[in-house]
Amino acid sequence: MFRSLRRTLGALCAAAAVLALPLAGGAHPVAALEADAAEVGVAEAGAGYWHTSGRQILDADGQAVRIAGINWFGFETANRVTHGLWTRDYKSMIDQMKSLGYNTIRMPYSDDILKSGAMPDSVNYSDGKNADLQGLTSLQVLDRIVAYAGQSGLKIILDRHRPDGAGQSALWYTSAVPETTWITNLKALATRYKGNSTVIGIDLHNEPHDPACWGCGDTARDWRLAAQRAGNAVLSVNPDLLILVEGVQTYDGVSGWWGGNLMGVAQYPVQLDVPNRVVYSAHDYATSVAQQSWFSDPSFPANMPGVWDRYWGYIFKQNIAPVWVGEFGTTLQSTVDQRWLAALVTYLRSTSTYGSDSFHWTFWSWNPNSGDTGGILKDDWQTVDTVKDGYLASIKAPGFPSGGGSGDPGDPGDPGDPGGGTPACTAAYTVSSDWGSGFNAEVKVTNTGTTAISSWKVTWTWPGSQRVTNMWNASYTQSGATVTAANAAHNGAVSAGGSASFGFGGAPGGGGVPSVSCAAA
């Protein structure tokens, strides 16, 4: 009702692979995030499977975590695979998400990918891209993405976005995809990733809307009852997962965004057989998606916290359950939208002040081909929209221990040497693209010592006339052919065995890979 289909499905032709300057001065604007997070006890959180406690999400060790992530769509479309693989390698995309400070990927899918033999479309295998995906089914590609995300310290939330690739449905079922198929497929995915704590939960159905109701008691329309049926089915095969339940459009005559109205939770909470598993999810958008009455209120944007409190914020503020804003986005083209996003980010609570005692979120979207919001990436699928990404800086949060696994904390930096150790690091320099007049490169810094490091510097000398034109996730100085890159505020702290990365553009191309040295403190 409130918006047309957001997902532009056509494959965009890749522009020249130029990573434009994403960060003023080279440093990510999450100033001192790691230090601030450590003060509130979240820096090393995220081990194993998660559960809820009041309004917080806790890891297997009881430490609070904050979901601060991004939507990467495509598995729910006719492509049956995440978009952008027609121009980039999936690992480079995940590396870039991590380098920007996102810690979770919400992965939309449709039931089509669970059909026997469902294959991905529009994946580029040239020049070694996506080489390990060739010949795989859509589900097998999802397996690879989950594995690499977990290895990189990112979590995955599976989002049953649509019954099929044709489009969104108001209810969780259609004539072609009945409720039995929906539940069977949810259980199949829950079983597939059982024991792999990279997959922390399943968003049961995307954006239920009219005629869906909440608490009306009609089993054909009552989304709350359907969520209980599906949630219990999922937990019957994988009791460790979080069950993420979106709202509806209309409750008690009050309408809002599709999936964004959780007013009914107060009287009709979702009750599951396994306790401490429910996370409520709201969606919220700006005028680039659709107009709402609150945008024209004379007090806008001061009225917005009251709007959010009414629809979903009260659940968090009354300590009923955690709240995850699973989608929010905008083109940022209008002043109204800019003020909306600034107000929403403030409402979601900064990590430096509140740590993980905050709202959870995944921004819509990573993809640039979302028709009425755009994405964090620009149309070349490489360049970061630094203005949009910058709005989110204060609510980003630390990543999680890598490795996934069945509840194993998997933190390679723990225990550490109680007496301290000699800080040590290595750096790997990779040219990701070279078009003659310029090139892009990425450098991965790995802590090879036995104790955590708090900062690092990487140095190299080019044999030719190359110069850095821009750099992200690090700052740099260049003297002649010698470049020294130092960590940004958010990625200097690296646990033993862990890694951080940064990237840069340079000119001219053809410089090859120089020898690099790494110094840690």
Side-chain angles (χ1 to χ4, degrees):
M1 177 177 178
F2 288 112
R3 59 175 175 80
S4 59
L5 187 64
R6 275 201 303 276
R7 291 63 165 161
T8 302
L9 304 183
L12 300 180
C13 295
V18 182
L19 280 149
L21 176 64
L23 303 170
H28 194 281
V30 189
L33 177 57
E34 291 288 350
D36 290 333
E39 292 176 7
V40 293
V42 301
E44 294 299 321
Y49 280 108
W50 299 352
H51 61 281
T52 69
S53 177
R55 68 191 191 180
Q56 291 193 312
I57 299 176
L58 306 181
D59 70 6
D61 297 327
Q63 293 193 75
V65 295
R66 184 176 201 184
I67 296 168
I70 196 80
N71 283 269
W72 186 13
F73 67 80
F75 275 110
E76 84 284 15
T77 72
N79 297 104
R80 298 178 298 279
V81 71
T82 48
H83 284 179
L85 302 192
W86 51 69
T87 186
R88 287 184 67 182
D89 184 89
Y90 76 97
K91 293 180 180 178
S92 74
M93 297 260 242
I94 293 171
D95 288 344
Q96 191 177 21
M97 292 175 195
K98 180 182 178 180
S99 73
L100 290 170
Y102 299 102
N103 66 22
T104 304
I105 304 171
R106 180 176 181 255
M107 191 72 67
Y109 73 88
S110 84
D111 291 76
D112 282 349
I113 71 167
L114 287 105
K115 293 179 178 178
S116 178
M119 300 295 292
D121 182 52
S122 300
V123 179
N124 186 344
Y125 303 114
S126 67
D127 303 321
K129 295 185 184 73
N130 303 302
D132 61 333
L133 304 184
Q134 290 198 64
L136 300 187
T137 66
S138 293
L139 275 180
Q140 290 169 334
V141 172
L142 180 59
D143 292 342
R144 295 293 174 93
I145 290 174
V146 168
Y148 192 74
Q151 177 185 328
S152 303
L154 276 64
K155 297 293 188 180
I156 298 282
I157 295 172
L158 300 175
D159 156 44
R160 195 279 193 149
H161 209 76
R162 301 172 174 173
D164 55 52
Q168 177 64 24
S169 63
L171 300 172
W172 54 97
Y173 63 90
T174 64
S175 57
V177 184
E179 179 174 309
T180 52
T181 300
W182 171 56
I183 289 179
T184 296
N185 288 342
L186 287 171
K187 290 174 67 177
L189 285 171
T191 301
R192 188 179 191 90
Y193 297 111
K194 185 176 182 179
N196 184 345
S197 59
T198 296
V199 178
I200 55 171
I202 299 181
D203 186 344
L204 297 177
H205 180 62
N206 183 66
E207 296 185 349
H209 53 276
D210 296 346
C213 63
W214 189 292
C216 68
D218 179 352
T219 55
R221 298 190 302 117
D222 193 330
W223 166 236
R224 176 251 190 175
L225 294 178
Q228 291 182 167
R229 294 192 295 273
N232 283 329
V234 167
L235 295 172
S236 72
V237 297
N238 189 343
D240 294 313
L241 290 175
L242 296 175
I243 303 299
L244 300 117
V245 182
E246 298 186 28
V248 292
Q249 178 184 350
T250 303
Y251 178 78
D252 199 22
V254 179
S255 292
W257 296 110
W258 289 3
N261 190 333
L262 286 158
M263 295 169 63
V265 170
Q267 186 173 355
Y268 303 104
V270 171
Q271 298 174 316
L272 299 176
D273 295 338
V274 180
N276 303 316
R277 291 294 179 271
V278 177
V279 176
Y280 292 103
S281 176
H283 290 186
D284 203 88
Y285 279 98
T287 61
S288 63
V289 173
Q291 275 290 342
Q292 298 279 15
S293 60
W294 43 81
F295 295 127
S296 56
D297 188 300
S299 64
F300 177 85
N303 64 315
M304 291 310 303
V307 172
W308 294 319
D309 282 349
R310 184 184 189 193
Y311 280 93
W312 44 267
Y314 76 92
I315 298 170
F316 173 85
K317 293 187 175 182
Q318 295 179 21
N319 202 37
I320 296 169
V323 175
W324 167 53
V325 184
E327 290 185 20
F328 63 108
T330 166
T331 60
L332 279 182
Q333 291 179 355
S334 74
T335 301
V336 169
D337 284 26
Q338 294 162 17
R339 296 170 75 191
W340 164 84
L341 185 55
L344 180 56
V345 165
T346 299
Y347 184 82
L348 295 180
R349 298 163 65 102
S350 72
T351 302
S352 62
T353 301
Y354 298 101
S356 294
D357 186 26
S358 304
F359 292 93
H360 305 272
W361 58 273
T362 44
F363 188 74
W364 189 276
S365 61
W366 179 247
N367 309 45
N369 59 327
S370 174
D372 50 13
T373 66
I376 291 298
L377 293 185
K378 295 188 177 180
D379 285 348
D380 62 3
W381 283 93
Q382 297 264 4
T383 308
V384 175
D385 185 329
T386 55
V387 175
K388 192 175 289 187
D389 181 66
Y391 272 89
L392 307 174
S394 66
I395 56 173
K396 289 181 180 178
F400 307 112
S402 61
S406 55
D408 188 299
D411 183 355
D414 184 26
D417 182 352
T422 302
C425 62
T426 60
Y429 179 119
T430 304
V431 177
S432 54
S433 57
D434 191 327
W435 55 96
S437 60
F439 68 99
N440 292 316
E442 297 175 358
V443 179
K444 183 176 182 179
V445 176
T446 300
N447 180 351
T448 55
T450 58
T451 188
I453 61 176
S454 58
S455 64
W456 46 262
K457 287 186 178 180
V458 174
T459 303
W460 67 88
T461 301
W462 280 309
S465 60
Q466 285 77 22
R467 298 196 65 82
V468 175
T469 55
N470 56 80
M471 185 174 289
W472 49 97
N473 294 310
S475 58
Y476 75 96
T477 58
Q478 181 167 355
S479 177
T482 300
V483 179
T484 299
N487 62 271
H490 72 286
N491 64 356
V494 182
S495 62
S499 62
S501 61
F502 65 95
F504 62 91
V513 176
S515 297
V516 294
S517 61
C518 186

Short mmCIF file of all heavy atoms in Angstrom, two decimals, residues 15 19 33 39 46 74 79 163 169 172 189 202 211 241 243 341 382 393 413 433 444 448 467 506:
data_model
loop_
_atom_site.label_atom_id
_atom_site.label_comp_id
_atom_site.label_asym_id
_atom_site.label_seq_id
_atom_site.Cartn_x
_atom_site.Cartn_y
_atom_site.Cartn_z
N ALA A 15 30.27 -0.26 -13.90
CA ALA A 15 31.03 0.86 -14.42
C ALA A 15 32.51 0.56 -14.19
O ALA A 15 32.89 -0.48 -13.70
CB ALA A 15 30.61 2.15 -13.72
N LEU A 19 37.15 2.78 -6.95
CA LEU A 19 36.67 3.02 -5.59
C LEU A 19 36.96 4.47 -5.25
O LEU A 19 38.10 4.86 -5.02
CB LEU A 19 37.40 2.09 -4.60
CG LEU A 19 36.84 0.67 -4.56
CD1 LEU A 19 37.95 -0.31 -4.23
CD2 LEU A 19 35.74 0.58 -3.53
N LEU A 33 35.56 3.76 18.46
CA LEU A 33 34.45 2.84 18.73
C LEU A 33 34.90 1.64 19.53
O LEU A 33 34.24 1.23 20.47
CB LEU A 33 33.81 2.39 17.41
CG LEU A 33 32.69 1.36 17.52
CD1 LEU A 33 31.57 1.88 18.40
CD2 LEU A 33 32.16 1.01 16.15
N GLU A 39 34.64 -0.32 26.99
CA GLU A 39 34.22 0.22 28.27
C GLU A 39 32.86 -0.31 28.69
O GLU A 39 32.57 -0.48 29.86
CB GLU A 39 34.17 1.75 28.21
CG GLU A 39 35.56 2.38 28.07
CD GLU A 39 35.46 3.88 27.91
OE1 GLU A 39 34.34 4.41 28.05
OE2 GLU A 39 36.49 4.51 27.65
N GLY A 46 29.90 -12.01 21.40
CA GLY A 46 29.36 -12.62 20.20
C GLY A 46 29.56 -14.10 20.10
O GLY A 46 29.17 -14.73 19.11
N GLY A 74 19.01 -10.41 -3.05
CA GLY A 74 19.16 -11.07 -4.34
C GLY A 74 18.67 -12.50 -4.36
O GLY A 74 18.11 -12.96 -5.36
N ASN A 79 17.11 -14.00 -9.77
CA ASN A 79 18.53 -14.38 -9.87
C ASN A 79 18.90 -15.51 -8.91
O ASN A 79 19.90 -16.19 -9.10
CB ASN A 79 19.43 -13.17 -9.60
CG ASN A 79 19.26 -12.07 -10.60
OD1 ASN A 79 18.64 -11.05 -10.31
ND2 ASN A 79 19.79 -12.25 -11.80
N PRO A 163 7.48 -15.52 -0.91
CA PRO A 163 7.17 -16.92 -1.22
C PRO A 163 7.88 -17.40 -2.48
O PRO A 163 8.27 -18.56 -2.58
CB PRO A 163 5.66 -16.93 -1.40
CG PRO A 163 5.17 -15.69 -0.74
CD PRO A 163 6.27 -14.69 -0.90
N SER A 169 4.46 -10.78 -0.70
CA SER A 169 3.08 -11.17 -0.40
C SER A 169 2.64 -10.56 0.92
O SER A 169 3.45 -10.42 1.85
CB SER A 169 2.95 -12.70 -0.33
OG SER A 169 3.73 -13.23 0.73
N TRP A 172 1.84 -14.65 4.85
CA TRP A 172 2.99 -15.53 4.84
C TRP A 172 2.82 -16.71 3.90
O TRP A 172 3.73 -17.51 3.73
CB TRP A 172 3.25 -16.05 6.25
CG TRP A 172 2.04 -16.69 6.88
CD1 TRP A 172 1.75 -18.02 6.93
CD2 TRP A 172 0.95 -16.03 7.53
NE1 TRP A 172 0.55 -18.24 7.56
CE2 TRP A 172 0.02 -17.02 7.95
CE3 TRP A 172 0.65 -14.67 7.82
CZ2 TRP A 172 -1.15 -16.72 8.63
CZ3 TRP A 172 -0.52 -14.37 8.48
CH2 TRP A 172 -1.42 -15.38 8.88
N LEU A 189 15.96 -24.97 6.49
CA LEU A 189 17.09 -24.05 6.66
C LEU A 189 17.63 -24.10 8.09
O LEU A 189 18.84 -24.06 8.32
CB LEU A 189 16.67 -22.63 6.30
CG LEU A 189 16.53 -22.35 4.80
CD1 LEU A 189 15.91 -20.98 4.58
CD2 LEU A 189 17.88 -22.45 4.09
N ILE A 202 16.34 -16.47 12.22
CA ILE A 202 15.54 -16.41 11.00
C ILE A 202 14.42 -15.39 11.18
O ILE A 202 13.66 -15.44 12.16
CB ILE A 202 14.93 -17.78 10.66
CG1 ILE A 202 16.04 -18.82 10.42
CG2 ILE A 202 14.03 -17.68 9.43
CD1 ILE A 202 15.53 -20.20 10.04
N PRO A 211 -4.20 -7.81 4.31
CA PRO A 211 -5.15 -8.00 5.43
C PRO A 211 -4.57 -8.69 6.67
O PRO A 211 -5.36 -9.13 7.52
CB PRO A 211 -6.23 -8.88 4.78
CG PRO A 211 -5.45 -9.74 3.84
CD PRO A 211 -4.37 -8.86 3.28
N LEU A 241 18.27 -20.96 17.76
CA LEU A 241 18.11 -19.79 16.90
C LEU A 241 17.25 -18.71 17.55
O LEU A 241 16.34 -19.00 18.33
CB LEU A 241 17.47 -20.19 15.57
CG LEU A 241 18.33 -21.02 14.62
CD1 LEU A 241 17.51 -21.45 13.41
CD2 LEU A 241 19.56 -20.23 14.18
N ILE A 243 14.29 -16.09 16.92
CA ILE A 243 13.12 -16.00 16.05
C ILE A 243 12.76 -14.53 15.93
O ILE A 243 12.35 -13.89 16.91
CB ILE A 243 11.93 -16.80 16.62
CG1 ILE A 243 12.34 -18.28 16.82
CG2 ILE A 243 10.72 -16.67 15.72
CD1 ILE A 243 12.75 -19.00 15.55
N LEU A 341 16.62 10.54 8.82
CA LEU A 341 17.68 9.58 9.11
C LEU A 341 18.50 10.02 10.31
O LEU A 341 18.85 9.20 11.17
CB LEU A 341 18.57 9.37 7.89
CG LEU A 341 19.65 8.29 8.05
CD1 LEU A 341 19.05 6.95 8.46
CD2 LEU A 341 20.45 8.15 6.75
N GLN A 382 31.18 -0.70 -6.32
CA GLN A 382 32.48 -0.62 -5.67
C GLN A 382 32.56 0.58 -4.73
O GLN A 382 32.97 0.45 -3.58
CB GLN A 382 33.60 -0.47 -6.72
CG GLN A 382 33.74 -1.63 -7.67
CD GLN A 382 34.80 -2.61 -7.24
OE1 GLN A 382 35.42 -2.48 -6.20
NE2 GLN A 382 35.04 -3.62 -8.07
N ALA A 393 27.56 5.96 11.39
CA ALA A 393 28.81 5.74 12.11
C ALA A 393 28.61 5.55 13.61
O ALA A 393 29.21 4.66 14.22
CB ALA A 393 29.76 6.91 11.85
N GLY A 413 42.08 -14.94 19.93
CA GLY A 413 42.92 -14.15 20.81
C GLY A 413 42.76 -14.49 22.27
O GLY A 413 43.27 -13.79 23.14
N SER A 433 42.02 -4.39 -8.78
CA SER A 433 41.71 -4.00 -10.15
C SER A 433 42.77 -3.03 -10.65
O SER A 433 43.33 -2.25 -9.87
CB SER A 433 40.31 -3.38 -10.25
OG SER A 433 40.19 -2.26 -9.40
N LYS A 444 45.51 -6.52 3.90
CA LYS A 444 44.98 -7.23 5.07
C LYS A 444 46.09 -7.34 6.10
O LYS A 444 47.16 -7.87 5.83
CB LYS A 444 44.48 -8.61 4.69
CG LYS A 444 43.85 -9.39 5.84
CD LYS A 444 43.29 -10.72 5.37
CE LYS A 444 42.61 -11.49 6.50
NZ LYS A 444 42.05 -12.78 6.02
N THR A 448 49.98 -11.61 14.20
CA THR A 448 50.67 -12.90 14.28
C THR A 448 51.28 -13.14 15.65
O THR A 448 51.98 -14.14 15.86
CB THR A 448 51.77 -12.99 13.22
OG1 THR A 448 52.65 -11.86 13.36
CG2 THR A 448 51.17 -12.98 11.82
N ARG A 467 51.25 6.89 -6.86
CA ARG A 467 50.89 7.68 -5.69
C ARG A 467 49.49 7.28 -5.23
O ARG A 467 48.64 6.93 -6.05
CB ARG A 467 50.93 9.19 -5.97
CG ARG A 467 52.30 9.71 -6.36
CD ARG A 467 52.38 11.22 -6.25
NE ARG A 467 52.23 11.70 -4.87
CZ ARG A 467 53.22 11.72 -3.99
NH1 ARG A 467 54.44 11.31 -4.32
NH2 ARG A 467 53.01 12.18 -2.76
N GLY A 506 45.08 4.23 -6.38
CA GLY A 506 46.36 4.82 -6.74
C GLY A 506 46.46 5.04 -8.23
O GLY A 506 45.64 4.55 -9.01
#
